[in-house]
Amino acid sequence: MNAQLLFRRAAMALVLVSVAAFSASERNGWILVVGGLLAVAAGSFTHGPRGRALPPWVVRLGVIAAIGWGAAQFAQRPSPEEAPRVVGGVVLAAMLLKLWDRKQPSDWRQVIALSIVLVVASALVSGDFLVGVLVIGYAMALVATTMLYQLHAGAERAAEDRSKVALRPGALPPMEAPHGASPVRHLRRLSVVAMALGVALSALVFLLFPRDSALGGGQQSARTSGFRADISLWRSGRISLSSRVAMTVQLLDPRGAAGELTLPLRMRGAVLEQYFPGAAQWRGDPSRSGDRLYQGDGTGAFQWFATEARNERSNVWTQVVEMRSLASDRVFSAWMPLAIACDESRSFVIDSRTAELSEAASGIVGKPRSYSIRMQAYPSPRIAKAVVGAAMPEPEVDFPVPEVRTIAERIVAEHPDAEIPTAEDIAREPEQRWIRNRRLANLFTEHLSGERFRYSTDLSEFRRRGGEDPIVLFLDRYRFGHCEYFASALVALCRSMGAEARVVTGYMTTEYDSVTDRYVFRESGAHAWAEVRTGEWQWGTFDPSPMDELLAIQRANRTWMDSFRWILDPVEFMWNSRFASFDSRSQAELGDRVATGAKSASAWFTERAGELVERANRWFLLGPAGALWLALVGVTALIAVAAAWVVARRARRASDELGARGQGLAARLALGRDARFYLDALDALARAGMAKPAGRTPGLHADALRASHPEAGEAFADVVRRFYAVRYAGIVPSRADRADADAAVSRLRAALARGYTST
Amino acid sequence: MRRRYHIHPPGLLYLLLVVLVGLAAANRPSNLLIWVFAAMLAGVLLSGILSGQPLMNLRAQRIMPRTARVGEPVIVRYAISNGSSAWPLFALFVREAAAVRGSRAFAQHVGPGEEVVAETALWPERRGPLRLSRFRVETVFPFGLVMKSVRFDEPAECLVLPRIERLRPGVLASLAGGSVPGPSTSTRPGAGSDFLGIREYRPGDSLRHVAWRRSASTGTLAVIERSVDAPPRIRVAVDLRRPTSQLRADADARAPRDLEEDAIVLAASLLAAAQRDGYETRLCVLGLPSPSMPMRRGHWHLQKELAVLASLDLDAARDAGASLPEDRERAATFVVHVDRADLRVAGPDAVHLGAGQLPALAGGAAGGAA
């Protein structure tokens, strides 16, 4: 077996898979192309006929330069999200440089260790399906590669040791590592067994790993889909520019015909009402007061949120959502939802204050694949009140950052023609309140989407100083940012002026597929906008992000590969739904299903066993105690099977070790019984590491034992003498003979326990 | 037989990495990272199972030669057998517990039910009995995280013969004054050149041996019988009557014990040179108990003499009054002294050599085998 050749190939494959994983996590194909070419070239350059390598000082200098580059990159964007990317880049460079160095077994160990770190960094950066497949593939390849490394390194180390200790060079021939027959076949089988065991063990640990219940599926899906159920303005992670399709939506008008709307279509996912200035975070209300649960029956019938909504006939649209790569427990709706339908028996909950829809614990592992929603764009107050519930608590109107009010007042002062109703107007006419809110929202939206503000996903220049709030920095100093900044600014301005407003996150698109009559929402379409209260039960949508720039950025990221992504979409959804989104709730659901399944299986088994016993009882006319009788018969049968196994084992041993091959079963069993003491002696010797070799007679083995273990040798010689008498002289031992033989075996055991005495 | 787990530094580093990844997985809600942590943890568990289970049925036996020589490698073999019917064994190292210069034996693979012989070379640096007590079969297969070993208690012994320096050709004859004496004739009939006698012709005798004149005078065929050639003989005596503590260091400041060893090496070299030249030899050791050796020649006789030299215990009490046995056979006597030559120990024709003369007598490549 050429372990060196096999190992080199396996190691090179491992390196390429790790480079591919990092490339997939960064969504940059050039990393794979350039890195892969360099790795393959290194393989033939350093191991080819000439076997050259880079000078060691070049490699060291390169590694130091890579570390310096990494430090500089991290200094530019010092954040936990950037750290894995930087570390991955440094490790990739170091690994490629190491491949161009001369490779001893210790160097290969470093290359493998670097590839492990690279894969871990890739897993930290992204949990995409492709990255996941490559990471899993890498783990399985690592099993075989590590085994081959041990063989290769072991042989090299042994040869090196041999030449180091030689007193005269060339005194010994080159070492050839001995091996048995079919080493490659055995290694392959062992690798397969190890991989299977590894997958099973890792799956068990994965399922049992404790997960934070505060982080629901939204947090998981944020990493894979761009959508976030919270906003952190200081999070310097990049906005997703992936053109992967998150979901498709078909809009059916009240007559049931699919159609395209002229405006960009927005899908609400999460409503964020609370702002925490210290962390610059927007979050939803965790208490979720007023939630109402709707249980689906799996028939696809609509579950109406209010009777009035069910009876509503005018302007009710149907939205059919089909998830592609996005797996989330959030239910996305374009307008006010009135009912929901799903083919699976899932439960949904609607938040009375915000009309947010999400999946509740349904006992189904995985996220919903498709659902339909009945909705209205401009519901009447009666319908809105019925759906979101009566006695809705007043939303927040104050903003905890005082500087924002100053800015808001300045903006209002700059636009006297905005005709914002005053407090006196509102006191005189309460409806003026909603007019005020709407006009304020329009004013601020116009201000933010004007020429003074610029849409950008690159926030490297957006630097924080001291305890400054990012919204204030955005409004006052920098005036550039992405949709989260624009939406946060609009809501902050409105609230500081007493208008109820909230941030909404979800998706936005203008892409319509006329072939399938569906809107296409891509991951890069994850968006944030604002809702301002414009009525007792109504909230208006206001999007201050500059549309032209935003749409231009999204369109620029589309490539020819997008046309073929539909091939992977079902698999990717399965990955995101079952694996990437597996959270504490999924754990609980799986646990319940396992427990329920185990109970039902146990109950089924007990029931069947009872039926069988009863049937047998009736057949054999055994009467009331028949069950007991059958149980006794069963136990007896088990004992008989065990006894037969023991007898067969004894007969086999008599054939093998007592030289009774060819004799009848009765003779072998009799010999096994009479020479039981001899077998015990052999077992004692084997346990002490002095097993009798197969080709050596008992007498010779006793002589050999005497030379090194005189006491044990004498005791065994006594046992052998008695055995010969039984085996060859035909003597049937009496009870006293058996007792003496057992005593001889005990002496042998005692001598072996005392250890050997050197002569 | 004793099984043990050992701390292995790469395994500790790996555990540290597992802990770090586990902390990262706990802090960062990424299922892929959680799975990576789970896979790494599974690797630790697998390593223990796959390395421990196969060793349960491992058996090993040492195969050692009876003799060795200082400065020459001793090839020690280990018959490693795998008693399991399912589990193969990979990457096994065998290490001796005794403090002897040597490397580890390595077996790449032992299949289920198979036996493989691995070998290593030990380099004994001292003559005398080389005692090996126990050896250990160890492996870090499959992942290099955990090292498991099985210890076997199997004492064995090998006699290390003294080093032999190849003396210059003809040095024995030149030391003995031009020729090494031996009996002038032999009394044993053979194919030599000396006249032994005349006898009757027997069928099968060569016609070239017929004594024609005697045959003509007697009327019956007679043949000339010749005797075997009588080879030269030397007797090598090693003077070890003086205890080590009473010896003087030589001009090169070599320690007294080293001088005694050099004397033994010189004696061995003289015997080997004599055997190479076809002489009969006899070894005598003065001062230490040793078996009485006959005057013989041949490879096995030399091996016996070297074994006697190898078994000399220089720490034993010395017999200061020992003397050379009476010389009944005509032979050249070479007496090897450690430091000062005592001319009274042998006759006037004896050649007295000092241990310090070894380099001069060798002259060529050192360490040549007989």
Side-chain angles (χ1 to χ4, degrees):
Chain A
M1 172 170 78
N2 192 339
Q4 188 185 23
L5 184 63
L6 289 173
F7 166 70
R8 277 215 314 266
R9 285 181 190 162
M12 191 52 65
L14 200 71
V15 162
L16 289 174
V17 171
S18 68
V19 173
F22 187 64
S23 168
S25 71
E26 288 289 305
R27 293 181 182 170
N28 185 344
W30 285 108
I31 294 177
L32 176 60
V33 171
V34 174
L37 281 174
L38 282 173
V40 171
S44 64
F45 186 78
T46 59
H47 293 290
R50 294 179 189 173
R52 292 181 186 167
L54 287 177
W57 65 268
V58 171
V59 173
R60 281 191 212 115
L61 199 60
V63 170
I64 292 170
I67 293 172
W69 169 85
Q73 287 288 310
F74 189 71
Q76 271 190 5
R77 284 187 193 177
S79 78
E81 275 97 14
E82 283 302 306
R85 289 198 166 87
V86 171
V87 168
V90 171
V91 167
L92 175 65
M95 187 176 72
L96 291 174
L97 281 167
K98 249 337 229 185
L99 285 172
W100 284 84
D101 195 3
R102 286 219 179 274
K103 283 181 280 297
Q104 303 296 324
S106 59
D107 296 314
W108 273 116
R109 192 168 56 201
Q110 291 172 12
V111 169
I112 292 174
L114 287 171
S115 71
I116 293 175
V117 176
L118 187 61
V119 165
V120 171
S122 307
L124 278 167
V125 170
S126 169
D128 284 354
F129 166 69
L130 188 57
V131 175
V133 166
L134 288 168
V135 167
I136 292 172
Y138 174 90
M140 298 178 77
L142 185 63
V143 169
T145 306
T146 316
M147 289 183 181
L148 283 168
Y149 168 77
Q150 295 302 328
L151 297 183
H152 165 58
E156 294 278 310
R157 217 175 294 139
E160 200 180 307
D161 285 350
R162 188 169 151 115
S163 61
K164 262 189 204 165
V165 300
L167 289 175
R168 283 187 294 113
L172 293 169
M175 195 200 87
E176 281 193 28
H179 55 81
S182 313
V184 175
R185 184 164 55 96
H186 290 146
L187 187 66
R188 200 178 297 138
R189 271 190 208 161
L190 191 64
S191 301
V192 169
V193 168
M195 281 181 212
L197 278 176
V199 166
L201 283 171
S202 60
L204 189 65
V205 174
F206 175 81
L207 291 174
L208 296 175
F209 190 87
R211 286 166 171 83
D212 187 354
S213 58
L215 298 169
Q219 183 67 15
Q220 295 288 343
S221 63
R223 302 195 182 283
T224 56
S225 66
F227 164 72
R228 296 184 193 279
D230 65 352
I231 285 176
S232 177
L233 293 174
W234 286 126
R235 179 167 39 211
S236 61
R238 301 171 203 168
I239 300 295
S240 173
L241 298 176
S242 167
S243 54
R244 197 184 344 234
V245 175
M247 58 182 159
T248 59
V249 173
Q250 187 178 51
L251 285 183
L252 306 174
D253 63 18
R255 289 170 301 164
E260 178 187 1
L261 300 179
T262 56
L263 296 170
L265 187 64
R266 294 182 183 80
M267 300 284 277
R268 283 169 106 235
V271 177
L272 312 174
E273 295 172 298
Q274 296 182 344
Y275 182 70
F276 299 89
Q281 280 187 345
W282 287 95
R283 288 188 216 144
D285 182 4
S287 65
R288 300 184 67 83
S289 58
D291 280 358
R292 303 203 302 275
L293 185 71
Y294 294 88
Q295 175 70 47
D297 56 8
T299 60
F302 277 97
Q303 307 292 321
W304 292 90
F305 303 140
T307 309
E308 292 86 339
R310 187 200 296 269
N311 298 331
E312 184 71 5
R313 290 287 175 262
S314 66
N315 207 29
V316 175
W317 289 62
T318 302
Q319 167 193 287
V320 181
V321 178
E322 204 170 296
M323 295 302 186
R324 299 283 281 275
S325 65
L326 173 64
S328 173
D329 57 356
R330 295 276 171 167
V331 175
F332 294 85
S333 173
W335 305 322
M336 166 76 81
L338 305 180
I340 186 166
C342 183
D343 288 337
E344 296 168 294
S345 302
R346 293 184 181 267
S347 305
F348 297 94
V349 63
I350 182 168
D351 186 344
S352 299
R353 296 174 304 102
T354 62
E356 277 176 279
L357 268 173
S358 59
E359 190 208 356
S362 309
I364 300 175
V365 178
K367 305 294 182 251
R369 170 111 186 144
S370 67
Y371 48 85
S372 301
I373 290 181
R374 290 273 163 87
M375 55 184 188
Q376 269 188 333
Y378 303 102
S380 64
R382 180 180 64 88
I383 295 296
K385 181 181 173 182
V387 170
V388 298
M392 187 174 73
E394 283 296 308
E396 282 189 49
V397 294
D398 197 11
F399 196 70
V401 181
E403 293 90 340
V404 176
R405 183 173 174 99
T406 309
I407 299 171
E409 286 171 348
R410 189 177 70 226
I411 296 172
V412 170
E414 285 173 4
H415 297 83
D417 52 344
E419 297 178 351
I420 307 296
T422 62
E424 290 79 18
D425 296 331
I426 294 170
R428 199 171 45 245
E429 194 182 332
E431 285 300 312
Q432 289 291 316
R433 176 186 175 190
W434 312 127
I435 297 172
R436 180 175 182 275
N437 286 358
R438 197 178 301 117
R439 285 185 183 167
L440 278 172
N442 281 328
L443 174 63
F444 293 140
T445 301
E446 208 175 299
H447 175 77
L448 291 170
S449 54
E451 288 177 356
R452 278 184 281 186
F453 287 85
R454 180 171 57 89
Y455 186 92
S456 172
T457 56
D458 181 9
L459 300 181
S460 53
E461 296 301 315
F462 204 108
R463 301 272 165 81
R464 183 184 195 172
R465 289 181 211 167
E468 291 171 317
D469 187 81
I471 297 177
V472 173
L473 287 174
F474 170 76
L475 287 169
D476 224 6
R477 188 183 306 148
Y478 294 115
R479 295 186 179 166
F480 68 86
H482 49 69
C483 55
E484 291 177 356
Y485 281 85
F486 281 91
S488 302
L490 177 58
V491 171
L493 289 167
C494 288
R495 277 205 189 159
S496 65
M497 295 299 287
E500 298 96 330
R502 59 197 184 188
V503 175
V504 176
T505 60
Y507 284 91
M508 186 194 74
T509 188
T510 57
E511 188 182 344
Y512 186 78
D513 184 355
S514 54
V515 175
T516 58
D517 282 328
R518 286 179 171 273
Y519 282 90
V520 179
F521 289 87
R522 300 183 185 272
E523 289 182 9
S524 54
H527 192 49
W529 59 94
E531 284 183 351
V532 178
R533 195 176 180 190
T534 54
E536 184 73 26
W537 305 103
Q538 282 106 348
W539 290 74
T541 298
F542 294 86
D543 191 348
S545 302
M547 272 302 121
D548 293 339
E549 295 172 48
L550 172 62
L551 294 175
I553 289 174
Q554 290 182 1
R555 274 195 293 272
N557 288 303
R558 304 227 185 106
T559 66
W560 58 271
M561 283 187 62
D562 296 331
S563 313
F564 300 99
R565 288 193 195 274
W566 62 270
I567 298 170
L568 278 181
D569 280 342
V571 185
E572 202 151 4
F573 175 78
M574 189 71 68
W575 169 266
N576 287 334
S577 169
R578 300 296 172 103
F579 181 83
S581 308
F582 190 85
D583 52 11
S584 56
R585 198 180 85 185
S586 306
Q587 262 182 329
E589 285 171 355
L590 188 65
D592 288 340
R593 286 183 73 181
V594 168
T596 307
K599 265 190 209 160
S600 63
S602 165
W604 179 88
F605 180 77
T606 309
E607 200 181 318
R608 290 287 168 277
E611 277 179 18
L612 192 66
V613 167
E614 204 179 315
R615 204 180 296 170
N617 199 0
R618 279 199 301 271
W619 176 262
F620 290 110
L621 303 173
L622 295 174
L628 181 62
W629 172 246
L630 284 171
L632 281 173
V633 167
V635 169
T636 307
L638 278 173
I639 293 174
V641 166
W645 181 77
V646 169
V647 164
R649 195 160 161 260
R650 279 191 185 163
R652 193 169 58 242
R653 212 174 168 197
S655 295
D656 294 341
E657 297 191 47
L658 303 181
R661 212 180 295 271
Q663 293 186 15
L665 178 64
R668 277 185 282 149
L669 290 175
L671 180 62
R673 187 187 57 239
D674 293 339
R676 180 79 233 149
F677 62 92
Y678 175 69
L679 295 175
D680 291 340
L682 289 181
D683 290 340
L685 287 174
R687 275 194 298 274
M690 290 168 223
K692 183 182 82 69
R696 187 186 286 175
T697 64
L700 277 179
H701 191 60
D703 292 340
L705 265 182
R706 271 204 200 92
S708 56
H709 297 65
E711 199 181 341
E714 283 301 324
F716 186 60
D718 187 19
V719 171
V720 168
R721 185 175 51 78
R722 293 172 193 279
F723 167 65
Y724 280 163
V726 170
R727 174 70 180 90
Y728 299 108
I731 295 173
V732 177
S734 63
R735 186 175 292 188
D737 292 336
R738 285 183 214 277
D740 290 342
D742 290 339
V745 173
S746 299
R747 283 198 299 277
L748 173 65
R749 285 200 190 106
L752 291 171
R754 277 192 288 275
Y756 73 94
T757 53
S758 58
T759 55
Chain B
M1 191 162 57
R2 190 176 150 194
R3 294 185 183 86
R4 277 186 62 190
Y5 282 94
H6 301 265
I7 296 173
H8 197 50
L12 291 177
L13 281 174
Y14 180 82
L15 278 177
L16 182 63
L17 188 61
V18 170
V19 168
L20 290 174
V21 173
L23 288 172
N27 284 319
R28 200 180 172 101
S30 165
N31 277 335
L32 186 59
L33 193 63
I34 292 172
W35 186 85
V36 168
F37 167 71
M40 293 177 81
L41 202 60
V44 176
L45 298 170
L46 264 182
S47 184
I49 296 171
L50 293 181
S51 64
Q53 181 59 31
L55 289 183
M56 298 298 287
N57 293 302
L58 169 72
R59 298 288 180 270
Q61 195 176 12
R62 190 198 289 114
I63 304 165
M64 194 157 165
R66 289 178 180 232
T67 59
R69 183 165 296 150
V70 172
E72 297 291 326
V74 182
I75 303 298
V76 180
R77 294 183 172 85
Y78 303 89
I80 303 171
S81 62
N82 184 0
S84 169
S85 58
W87 291 97
L89 291 164
F90 287 97
L92 299 171
F93 283 93
V94 186
R95 182 201 296 267
E96 287 287 346
V100 61
R101 185 187 176 95
S103 61
R104 296 179 293 174
F106 177 72
Q108 201 172 59
H109 159 257
V110 186
E114 291 180 353
E115 184 177 277
V116 162
V117 176
E119 65 176 43
T120 183
L122 303 181
W123 294 82
E125 291 167 308
R126 290 187 171 282
R127 61 167 184 93
L130 173 63
R131 293 192 179 94
L132 302 177
S133 57
R134 58 176 70 122
F135 63 94
R136 197 169 78 183
V137 180
E138 58 194 27
T139 181
V140 294
F141 192 83
F143 304 135
L145 302 178
V146 176
M147 183 158 79
K148 273 215 74 173
S149 69
V150 183
R151 192 184 80 187
F152 294 91
D153 291 324
E154 200 175 298
E157 195 172 298
C158 165
L159 187 63
V160 180
L161 305 179
R163 190 177 84 243
I164 292 178
E165 297 287 348
R166 193 176 182 90
L167 302 182
R168 284 182 279 115
V171 69
L172 291 175
S174 66
L175 285 172
S179 67
V180 176
S184 51
T185 57
S186 169
T187 56
R188 287 181 284 150
S193 53
D194 292 335
F195 177 82
L196 184 62
I198 293 185
R199 57 171 173 80
E200 273 189 13
Y201 172 83
R202 293 188 206 120
D205 285 337
S206 171
L207 288 179
R208 282 180 293 191
H209 295 154
V210 173
W212 295 110
R213 287 193 180 166
R214 173 62 69 93
S215 301
S217 64
T218 59
T220 54
L221 276 177
V223 294
I224 297 172
E225 196 166 32
R226 306 213 180 259
S227 65
V228 294
D229 286 336
R233 290 175 175 170
I234 69 166
R235 187 170 57 166
V236 177
V238 186
D239 182 6
L240 296 173
R241 292 173 298 167
R242 208 172 288 132
T244 313
S245 55
Q246 292 180 13
L247 296 173
R248 278 190 310 209
D250 72 347
D252 296 331
R254 281 180 68 74
R257 179 52 59 94
D258 293 336
L259 285 175
E260 288 182 308
E261 293 290 342
D262 286 349
I264 292 173
V265 170
L266 179 54
S269 306
L270 287 171
L271 291 169
Q275 191 266 335
R276 199 167 48 241
D277 293 344
Y279 298 173
E280 285 187 346
T281 60
R282 184 182 172 198
L283 172 67
C284 300
V285 178
L286 303 178
L288 286 172
S290 64
S292 171
M293 303 291 297
M295 184 71 72
R296 290 279 185 273
R297 68 174 176 174
H299 170 76
W300 293 113
H301 179 67
L302 173 65
Q303 294 300 115
K304 286 178 194 168
E305 289 174 324
L306 293 176
V308 168
L309 287 173
S311 306
L312 292 176
D313 182 6
L314 294 175
D315 291 323
R318 309 294 175 94
D319 179 8
S323 59
L324 270 178
E326 208 174 301
D327 195 357
R328 291 205 186 101
E329 300 147 329
R330 192 163 162 253
T333 302
F334 290 80
V335 183
V336 179
H337 301 275
V338 179
D339 55 351
R340 299 181 294 272
D342 184 0
L343 302 179
R344 297 169 294 178
V345 73
D349 295 331
V351 177
H352 294 269
L353 301 170
Q357 287 177 273
L358 176 61
L361 291 173

